[in-house]
Amino acid sequence: MSDNKIFLSGIKPTGDVHLGNYVGMLRQMRDISHAHKTIIFIADLHALNMMHDADAVREYTYHIAAIIMSLGFNMDNVLLFRQSDVPAVCELTTMLTNVTPKGLMDRAHSYKAATERNIAAGNDADLGVNMGLYVYPILMAADILLYNSDIVPVGADQKQHVEFARDIAGHFNTIYGDLFKLPEPQIMPDAGIIPGLDGRKMSKSYDNTIPLMASGGELKKKIMRIITDSKTPDESKDPETSTIYMLYRHFATADEVADLAARFRSGGLGYGTAKTILFEKLDSVLAPMRERYDYLMTHRDELDAALAQGASVARKIADKTMSRVRHVMLGTKK
Ligand code: TRP
């Protein structure tokens, strides 16, 4: 069923998208886009609190844009744009700072994690913490409120930030009248463990990722590097403790998964063969997306045109919101 609810999500252009991002978030966003109006923006302003290299911000921005345009989203329902192409979000951030209690920012997970790490290491609590990190929940609230979002699909780690956006909208509405919709977080169903090459959770910070858009050759190399135990081909193996099987599960059909599990248990399947099975499955799913992605990354003019078109639609929505906000806060004409 399709309703009129607006879904919104932002993706920070801070690194190569990997299989964990795809299974945990992008694939689910793609499904949402087939049923709902979906706003997806590339959160380049958010990247600035950790990235001070403009070339890298631009390249990762193209990377994310090309990925969104390659994964099979229903682009008729999607509004895709670059956050910084709509400067009104900065204006709304400034406006919202004035109704946001400071205590809310002190409690933000992202800021608290940074200070706790510093304290544990015996350093000053605010070492390396810039104001971008500290107030980033307000920028995120502005992202959400500017475009009248109803639902914000996020991983569990981002739930608090969406609740902050709702709180901030509530404070605003109490003072100035009901202007903002109160957005709701929708926690993405946990996709289960997505292990990286070393068996720990796939994460950029562990340097154990498999990039979603790796070439066929790179993909194969990465898979061959997956760490296994030293069981011989003949021995029976527990699929649930094997990174190979745990990855395969997310891409194969239920029958194929059951079949591989049985082959692990019965013995006679060596890790080399299992890796080849995993590679072939992944490659069959990813190759068509990769082809479109590679095309777009070598046709930047098409990416620029898509982002420009998205920005022009986004700016119209933003301008409407801002003229109402300026009116109620500053007394200017509507
Ligand atoms: N903070 C999100 C993250 O770190 C990215 C983001 C920025 C976002 N603005 C948003 C997500 C608005 C949802 C809605 O992944």
Side-chain angles (χ1 to χ4, degrees), residues 8-10 12 41 43 46 136 140 143-144 152 158:
L8 171 133
S9 181
K12 278 192 293 187
F41 64 92
H46 280 278
Y136 118 67
M140 184 158 160
D143 292 327
I144 294 169
V152 185
Q158 291 289 320

Side-chain angles (χ1 to χ4, degrees), residues 11-14 41-49 51 57-58 61 81-85 139:
I11 304 171
K12 278 192 293 187
T14 49
F41 64 92
I42 303 159
D44 59 347
L45 295 171
H46 280 278
L48 296 181
N49 73 55
M51 278 174 63
V57 174
R58 182 197 57 239
T61 296
F81 63 94
R82 181 199 320 248
Q83 183 186 29
S84 64
D85 280 341
L139 177 58

